[in-house]
């Protein structure tokens, strides 16, 4: 993603989290890039922190994944129409009873992705659910692989962090979210060989290209910020939006014919 963002500056949260913020050329977007590390719990916590800190209009989680389908190969891109959390359930004497969790992606971002990839001749994209769990799958005959086939049969890819970002965005409730994953392996015994051969770098580059295409299609709102992003009113032409602010008395607003800060 860094290759697509210009005029980058590093921002540091008071708790130490770092992002690089810059411009996506040819668009109205300012983009903040954060490397969150491994695991859904870590990703959920850091995504929540970043959302509260920077108050974005949209969040894209971009990276690599293993394919779960024979017709989805290394170098393809899976745009997650929804994200499954695959490890919830109850173990009983009769077996493991699945208690699925799922987060649907933003329709606006999915539609932007569909439009973008139509003009990307070198990208083979699939719009399918993504499975996320704290496991790296490198054995297509394993118990977890069987679990996925039986209970999440429509999932096209498996990765380890997307559910954290999806859940944080869901709890936030005010922004668009999408998971985009480049396929770097086939979630089988050949994973290590594929990784050594540079498949992760190529898959990440493809996923980043699709993410940039999404942002070129999905326009920032005219006011440039979310309602209540700094506790102030946002004027929308015929009303003021005070969501996100804290007020301890009656609020009176007067329109003067121009946008107010």
């Amino acid at each position: 993603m860094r290759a697509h963002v210009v005029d980058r500056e590093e921002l540091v949260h008071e708790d130490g989290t770092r992002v690089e913020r810059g411009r996506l050329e040819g668009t109205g977007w300012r983009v903040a890039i954060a490397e969150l590390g491994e695991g859904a719990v870590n990703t959920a916590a850091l995504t929540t922190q970043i959302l509260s800190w920077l108050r974005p209009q949209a969040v894209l989680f971009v990276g690599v994944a293993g394919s779960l389908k024979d017709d989805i190969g290394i170098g393809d891109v899976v745009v997650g129409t929804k994200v499954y959390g695959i490890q919830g359930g109850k173990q009983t004497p009769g077996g493991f009873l699945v208690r699925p969790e799922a987060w649907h992606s933003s329709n606006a971002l999915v539609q932007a992705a569909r439009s973008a990839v139509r003009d990307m001749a070198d990208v083979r994209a699939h719009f399918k659910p993504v499975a996320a769990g704290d496991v790296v799958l490198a054995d297509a005959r394993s118990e977890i692989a069987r679990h996925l086939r039986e209970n999440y049969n429509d999932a096209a890819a498996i990765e380890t962090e997307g559910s954290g970002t999806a859940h944080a965005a869901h709890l936030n409730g005010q922004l668009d979210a999408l998971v985009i994953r480049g396929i770097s392996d086939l979630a089988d015994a050949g994973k290590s060989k594929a990784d050594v051969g540079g498949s992760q770098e190529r898959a990440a580059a493809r996923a980043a290209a699709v993410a940039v295409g999404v942002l070129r299609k999905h326009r920032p709102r005219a006011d440039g910020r979310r309602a209540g992003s700094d506790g102030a009113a946002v004027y929308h032409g015929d009303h003021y939006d005070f969501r996100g602010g804290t007020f301890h008395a009656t609020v009176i607003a007067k329109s003067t014919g121009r946008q107010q800060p």
Side-chain angles (χ1 to χ4, degrees), residues 64-233:
V64 300
S67 172
L68 294 175
K69 298 296 184 183
D70 293 340
D71 60 344
I72 298 178
I74 293 175
D76 289 3
V77 175
V78 174
V79 178
T81 53
K82 59 183 172 183
V83 178
Y84 289 126
I86 64 171
Q87 291 173 307
K90 180 180 181 180
Q91 187 66 52
T92 73
F96 186 75
L97 303 180
V98 175
R99 293 179 175 177
E101 289 188 281
W103 299 268
H104 285 265
S105 299
S106 158
N107 177 64
L109 292 182
V110 171
Q111 289 295 313
R114 291 185 186 277
S115 177
V117 299
R118 284 196 287 267
D119 297 321
M120 302 174 72
D122 60 336
V123 173
R124 188 165 180 257
H126 309 266
F127 291 80
K128 298 288 185 179
V130 171
D134 285 324
V135 59
V136 176
L137 183 57
D139 183 357
R141 295 177 294 180
S142 64
E143 180 63 24
I144 188 68
R146 183 196 61 79
H147 174 77
L148 289 168
R149 287 192 296 270
E150 291 183 357
N151 299 291
Y152 302 93
N153 188 255
D154 59 341
I158 181 169
E159 44 95 343
T160 57
E161 296 89 20
S163 59
T165 292
H167 189 58
H170 168 74
L171 293 179
N172 182 273
Q174 298 182 38
L175 78 166
D176 295 308
L178 184 65
V179 172
I180 302 172
R181 291 290 193 170
I183 297 300
S184 61
D185 63 78
L186 303 180
D188 60 10
K191 174 176 169 52
S192 296
K193 184 177 179 180
D195 291 348
V196 170
S199 64
Q200 289 195 354
E201 290 80 3
R202 293 191 296 272
R206 289 280 179 87
V210 171
V212 170
V214 169
L215 291 178
R216 293 194 183 282
K217 292 287 185 176
H218 183 70
R219 302 297 184 185
R221 283 195 293 272
D223 57 31
R225 56 184 174 172
R226 282 169 42 191
S229 60
D230 54 6

Side-chain angles (χ1 to χ4, degrees), residues 21-37:
R21 186 173 65 184
R23 295 185 300 105
L24 185 61
E25 286 191 307
T27 76
W29 287 109
R30 285 194 306 164
V31 178
I33 307 169
E35 186 176 353
L36 302 184

Side-chain angles (χ1 to χ4, degrees), residues 235-240 252-261:
Y235 184 59
H236 292 286
D238 60 355
H239 68 282
Y240 286 89
I252 300 174
K254 177 182 179 181
S255 175
T256 62
R258 61 186 179 87
Q259 182 167 328
Q260 300 297 309

